[in-house]
Amino acid sequence: MSILDNAIAQISPAWALKRAAARMQYDALRAYEAANPSRTHKAKREGRSANNAVFAAGKSLREQARWLDENHDLSIGILDRLEERVIGANGIVIEPQPRNKAGELLADFADELQRRFAAWSLKPEVTGQFTRPELERLGLRSALRDGEVFGQLVRGKVSKLVHPNPQGTMFSIEALESDFVPYELNEPTKRIRQGLQLNSWGQVTNYHVLLDHPADSVGFRYVTKEVPAANMLHLKFARRLHQSRGVSLFHGIITRLGDIKDYEESERVAARISAALAFYIKRGTPDMYTPNDSDSSREIPIAPGMTFDDLAPGEDVGMIESNRPNTHLAEFRNGQLKACAAGTKSSYSSISRDYKGSYSSQRQELVEQDESNRILQQWFVAGWSRPIYREWLRMEQLNKIDPLILPPDLDPRTLFDAVYFGPTMPWIDPKKEAEAWATMISGNAATEAEWVRARGRNPTETKRQRQREVAYNRENQMVTDNDPGDGSEKIKQPVQPPRPDNSDDE
């Protein structure tokens, strides 16, 4: 403190404290220019809690994102690509890993679990309309676009519900859009915030779910049911801690996507107008224009390659020139798409369908995008696929139509163990990729199972098919027969039939 501050402190300590606090704040502003608003820097800030910010904007962001998903091709493409690379055609593949007390995989029991789960996956949800891969793709799309999706776990006998699964497993999923848990339902005295009932630690204890979609109800009013947290899946896309509800993946690019759509539409309209215009007749001076001339409303037929020689004295033909279509449209659009890809965990090439570049550049983009895909896969598995599989297995043990028999040497701690994986990074050059995997396996840096999974296949099923194929080929002497035991056998050439005596071959 200065001499003046010391003197003030003797007279008024509170005044001296305010001076010191103001000086510290001033020093902070001088140290960080970004904190100081100016004519060229607005220094926008967000001081609200995560819940307050989502409450103020979450519904609007959700509805805008849905509109883009329904009307904008680029927005549709972004969500389509994420569906393909995170979930894929076969959904999240689940390989059960039950083991015995010696730590060895119980292969037959694992196959039986996989068979049963595949049968249940044909109709896993209450309406019976979607298979498990379809439900997972819709769930992911809803969670990314709307910010969240809910799934109620429906177990056992429920009034007016017949579980659509024909295998006797009394377990189904009721998938719910985020509208079913209303943002507007807030009762501080009951610790209900945005439709979620929380305890003092911030844990969700109950979900307040509307009986019908609010847009389908006439004279809508909040008639909800309480669903315990143990019976509800809540897959939300969160950007902040202490965020109870999810926010749309498009939250940072909605304005940009809307601008791109409006700009492209304006360019298309301008190009159409430009293509429709032809030429006009212009006259030298205003006094040469006579409204009563017989030719003032003349029509001029236009044909390709025509010669027009019907101009009056002083008239000339003027061509309407246009700079449409804009030659820089593609360049500008591509720059905007790169920004959209950066804000949505997507890759520019996949959403723009622009695959130009060398093998190295394309693979680098795939490598970087693959990590984003894995992050989303882990998020989806943790919030959706793993809880569903484990709950299915619990209910499968109660199946009375087709009872599940547990092996006597099963280690019960491993009953729910499984490996979850989705689509993997595609191969640009299969030969180079295969050589790289072979090198890693020979150097004990990878396994054959990882190699098979990298191609989106099941290692056990692949080996089983390969075993049958090799046995058949050996029996019929059709192809290469390299014995995996010592690798010493050579290629067996097919037995050639003897040539007839009258053959013309020399």
Side-chain angles (χ1 to χ4, degrees), residues 17 107 110 477 481:
L17 183 61
Q477 298 183 354
D481 186 2

Side-chain angles (χ1 to χ4, degrees), residues 287-466:
D287 59 337
M288 300 180 65
Y289 174 70
T290 357
N292 295 326
D293 286 349
S294 59
D295 61 349
S296 60
S297 60
R298 59 183 172 178
E299 294 184 0
I300 303 173
I302 300 177
M306 66 171 290
T307 300
F308 183 67
D309 59 355
D310 194 23
L311 292 176
E315 291 183 339
D316 192 9
V317 176
M319 302 301 298
I320 297 180
E321 298 180 359
S322 173
N323 58 353
R324 296 297 189 275
N326 189 346
T327 56
H328 299 288
L329 171 61
E331 180 182 354
F332 171 77
R333 181 177 180 271
N334 291 342
Q336 297 302 303
L337 288 183
K338 290 179 181 179
C340 290
T344 56
K345 294 183 178 293
S346 305
S347 65
Y348 161 75
S349 296
S350 62
I351 64 177
S352 66
R353 296 297 195 274
D354 183 4
Y355 298 102
K356 299 177 182 177
S358 62
Y359 168 82
S360 299
S361 61
Q362 290 187 40
R363 195 177 192 285
Q364 179 64 27
E365 185 179 24
L366 282 176
V367 169
E368 294 180 0
Q369 178 62 29
D370 185 61
E371 190 63 23
S372 296
N373 295 337
R374 290 177 183 272
I375 291 174
L376 290 176
Q377 286 173 1
Q378 186 276 335
W379 166 69
F380 187 84
V381 167
W384 190 269
S385 300
R386 184 181 291 115
I388 288 178
Y389 171 74
R390 293 190 171 190
E391 198 57 40
W392 165 83
L393 186 50
R394 290 189 185 95
M395 296 303 300
E396 187 67 18
Q397 297 179 66
L398 304 178
N399 191 335
K400 296 181 180 180
I401 297 179
D402 186 13
L404 177 65
I405 300 176
L406 302 181
D409 57 342
L410 171 68
D411 184 350
R413 298 174 299 177
T414 67
L415 176 60
F416 297 97
D417 290 356
V419 176
Y420 304 81
F421 61 93
T424 56
M425 187 177 69
W427 290 5
I428 299 176
D429 189 328
K431 181 179 179 181
K432 292 181 179 179
E433 301 286 351
E435 290 174 350
W437 273 104
T439 302
M440 289 191 295
I441 292 174
S442 62
N444 296 323
T447 65
E448 294 180 2
E450 289 178 317
W451 188 357
V452 176
R453 290 193 185 103
R455 301 183 64 239
R457 309 270 178 95
N458 185 306
T460 304
E461 184 61 27
T462 299
K463 287 182 178 295
R464 185 182 294 113
Q465 293 178 3
R466 180 59 181 156

Side-chain angles (χ1 to χ4, degrees), residues 82-361:
L82 290 173
E83 278 188 24
E84 294 169 4
R85 300 313 311 154
V86 176
I87 303 299
N90 299 322
I92 299 297
V93 179
I94 302 176
E95 293 182 16
Q97 300 289 307
R99 300 181 181 276
N100 58 23
K101 296 179 181 179
E104 299 172 344
L105 178 67
L106 298 173
D108 293 339
F109 183 57
D111 292 343
E112 176 65 11
L113 290 178
Q114 199 158 29
R115 181 192 68 80
R116 287 171 174 261
F117 188 66
W120 177 82
S121 297
L122 296 176
K123 292 184 178 181
E125 50 93 35
V126 292
T127 67
Q129 298 180 21
F130 306 108
T131 63
R132 185 174 62 86
E134 290 174 328
L135 183 63
E136 288 179 337
R137 287 193 293 270
L138 281 175
L140 176 73
R141 192 182 197 94
S142 298
L144 295 178
R145 180 194 62 221
D146 303 343
E148 59 191 353
V149 68
F150 297 90
Q152 183 178 357
L153 307 177
V154 184
R155 311 177 184 88
K157 294 183 178 180
V158 180
S159 176
K160 299 181 182 180
L161 172 66
V162 177
H163 291 280
N165 190 274
Q167 304 299 320
T169 306
M170 303 185 70
F171 173 62
S172 300
I173 308 297
E174 183 187 16
L176 301 168
E177 287 189 325
S178 57
D179 309 69
F180 279 85
V181 181
Y183 279 110
E184 298 82 1
L185 185 55
N186 293 277
E187 296 185 24
T189 57
K190 298 181 180 180
R191 300 190 65 85
I192 298 176
R193 181 187 291 272
Q194 300 172 20
L196 279 58
Q197 191 164 1
L198 311 174
N199 62 16
S200 59
W201 287 96
Q203 298 173 333
V204 180
T205 58
N206 291 287
Y207 292 86
H208 292 263
V209 182
L210 294 172
L211 301 182
D212 299 294
H213 194 286
D216 295 335
S217 301
V218 179
F220 172 72
R221 57 192 179 94
Y222 287 119
V223 179
T224 63
K225 61 181 178 180
E226 288 189 16
V227 178
N231 297 343
M232 183 69 83
L233 302 176
H234 183 195
L235 183 67
K236 66 179 180 180
F237 189 77
R239 287 297 194 184
R240 293 178 61 181
L241 296 173
H242 315 294
Q243 182 178 323
S244 300
R245 301 293 297 266
V247 64
S248 173
L249 177 69
F250 286 172
H251 68 90
I253 63 167
I254 283 180
T255 304
R256 188 183 301 275
L257 288 172
D259 289 344
I260 294 175
K261 186 178 188 305
D262 292 342
Y263 174 66
E264 289 180 335
E265 185 175 354
S266 299
E267 287 288 347
R268 290 199 307 270
V269 172
R272 289 172 57 189
I273 294 175
S274 175
L277 295 178
F279 65 86
Y280 59 92
I281 303 297
K282 61 180 180 180
R283 299 180 177 182
T285 58
D287 59 337
M288 300 180 65
Y289 174 70
T290 357
N292 295 326
D293 286 349
S294 59
D295 61 349
S296 60
S297 60
R298 59 183 172 178
E299 294 184 0
I300 303 173
I302 300 177
M306 66 171 290
T307 300
F308 183 67
D309 59 355
D310 194 23
L311 292 176
E315 291 183 339
D316 192 9
V317 176
M319 302 301 298
I320 297 180
E321 298 180 359
S322 173
N323 58 353
R324 296 297 189 275
N326 189 346
T327 56
H328 299 288
L329 171 61
E331 180 182 354
F332 171 77
R333 181 177 180 271
N334 291 342
Q336 297 302 303
L337 288 183
K338 290 179 181 179
C340 290
T344 56
K345 294 183 178 293
S346 305
S347 65
Y348 161 75
S349 296
S350 62
I351 64 177
S352 66
R353 296 297 195 274
D354 183 4
Y355 298 102
K356 299 177 182 177
S358 62
Y359 168 82
S360 299
S361 61

Side-chain angles (χ1 to χ4, degrees), residues 31-42:
Y32 298 97
E33 291 182 358
N36 188 16
S38 65
R39 181 178 59 84
T40 58
H41 178 56
K42 297 180 180 180

